[in-house]
Amino acid sequence: METIYLDELFLLNLVIDYFLLLGTAKICSLPFRRRRFLAGSALGALWCCLSLIPSLAWLDAPVMRPVLAAVMTLIAFGEERRIWRCLAAFLGVSALFGGAVFAAGLYQGSRTWHSGSDRLVRLDMRVLVISFALCWAAVSLVFRRTVKNAQRRLVDIAIQRRDRTVHIRALEDTGNGLYDPMTGCSVFVAEAGAVQALFTAQEAAHLQSPAVEAVAHIPGLRLIPYAGIGGDGHLLAAFRPDMVIVDGQERHDLIAAIAPGDIGTDGSYQAVI
């Protein structure tokens, strides 16, 4: 009879589940929250170990596996709005990686652990690493654009002006050195279409006009100078919001500048901060 070492089984599943969550984050263009991923993968590994106990064998029932996937997804990506998209991606990545690893184990002729009618494949670590490397390359190739986007950090911003509030997603740019020369406050740039709800219909009609014209027609706007890629000087219309909340934290040092055109190329964000 094959002996099952729970510490070995736990560690193996911990590593596998962790990389599955990383792959899901890549596909969904989400930031890597490694502590949350580790917590989710720890739950998956613990679940697998507990399911080997005869009195808890029901944990390994087919109906319970989607439940585990949903809970792991909530732990890892609970802050995301489109959580169902994350769950679907996690299930897809799990199927891809699981199939590849299982096939590699069968090709290698690996021994198996038996638990009821299910089989647990005992893999050589070298085969496991190679399988994950190949699958990771496949995911990166198919989702090249989203893999690139996943390296970016996106934040949620709530902007309040008078009695109106808008919620937008912004790209966090550590190289953004734009600031207001009058107050010294940092400046983030948002698309005109994303903030037009903060203005009256008459004011919003001028948001996509040249900065000087927008400032002339909308009370409370000011001009912010900035240098383009070629070093040429330009102007942006800007205003000081009554309140700005970035990822749940209120900021008092931000000025909002308005870009007449689109900022992002794929629509995943509407501002740069």
Side-chain angles (χ1 to χ4, degrees):
M1 178 179 293
E2 186 72 34
T3 301
I4 301 175
Y5 295 97
L6 288 181
D7 56 345
E8 180 183 346
L9 182 63
F10 179 86
L11 181 60
L12 179 62
N13 280 272
L14 181 71
V15 173
I16 291 176
D17 291 340
Y18 183 80
F19 278 100
L20 291 179
L21 292 172
L22 280 181
T24 302
K26 276 184 171 291
I27 289 178
C28 296
S29 301
L30 300 176
F32 291 171
R33 298 184 174 93
R34 289 179 171 81
R35 292 184 179 179
R36 297 184 68 119
F37 295 175
L38 184 60
S41 57
L43 172 64
L46 179 61
W47 189 296
C48 179
C49 292
L50 292 177
S51 66
L52 297 179
I53 300 175
S55 60
L56 297 177
W58 55 270
L59 289 175
D60 197 39
V63 70
M64 294 303 298
R65 294 173 187 174
V67 175
L68 173 60
V71 175
M72 290 176 62
T73 302
L74 284 174
I75 293 175
F77 308 107
E79 296 180 354
E80 299 300 322
R81 295 179 180 177
R82 294 183 290 180
I83 191 67
W84 291 109
R85 174 172 172 261
C86 298
L87 176 58
F90 179 60
L91 293 174
V93 172
S94 299
L96 173 64
F97 279 70
V101 172
F102 187 78
L106 294 180
Y107 178 78
Q108 184 198 19
S110 301
R111 292 174 295 172
T112 59
W113 286 318
H114 292 267
S115 176
S117 60
D118 294 329
R119 296 194 303 171
L120 302 176
V121 179
R122 187 174 189 177
L123 293 172
D124 180 81
M125 185 57 68
R126 180 178 58 183
V127 173
L128 182 64
V129 171
I130 293 175
S131 300
F132 269 95
L134 292 176
C135 290
W136 192 270
V139 169
S140 300
L141 180 63
V142 175
F143 299 95
R144 181 176 299 174
R145 177 178 294 272
T146 54
V147 165
K148 181 178 180 180
N149 291 343
Q151 307 302 322
R152 308 175 303 186
R153 172 172 164 76
L154 301 179
V155 297
D156 293 316
I157 301 180
I159 310 170
Q160 181 179 339
R161 180 177 182 266
R162 299 173 183 170
D163 59 344
R164 306 182 183 202
T165 304
V166 296
H167 297 268
I168 61 177
R169 177 154 283 195
L171 171 66
E172 188 176 63
D173 182 6
T174 56
N176 179 20
L178 191 60
Y179 70 95
D180 179 13
M182 294 180 58
T183 64
C185 292
S186 300
V187 177
F188 69 93
V189 184
E191 296 176 359
V195 298
Q196 65 180 1
L198 297 174
F199 300 86
T200 65
Q202 184 177 2
E203 293 172 339
H206 298 283
L207 288 179
Q208 297 185 357
S209 303
V212 175
E213 181 179 340
V215 170
H217 288 87
I218 304 176
L221 262 59
R222 68 182 75 166
L223 294 173
I224 299 289
Y226 76 99
I229 297 178
D232 299 331
H234 300 276
L235 294 172
L236 286 173
F239 65 97
R240 179 149 202 163
D242 296 332
M243 183 174 62
V244 179
I245 299 177
V246 180
D247 267 359
Q249 296 184 348
E250 186 172 356
R251 296 277 300 273
H252 301 279
D253 61 335
L254 291 176
I255 300 293
I258 303 171
D262 296 337
I263 292 179
T265 58
D266 56 2
S268 60
Y269 59 90
Q270 301 81 41
V272 175
I273 187 170

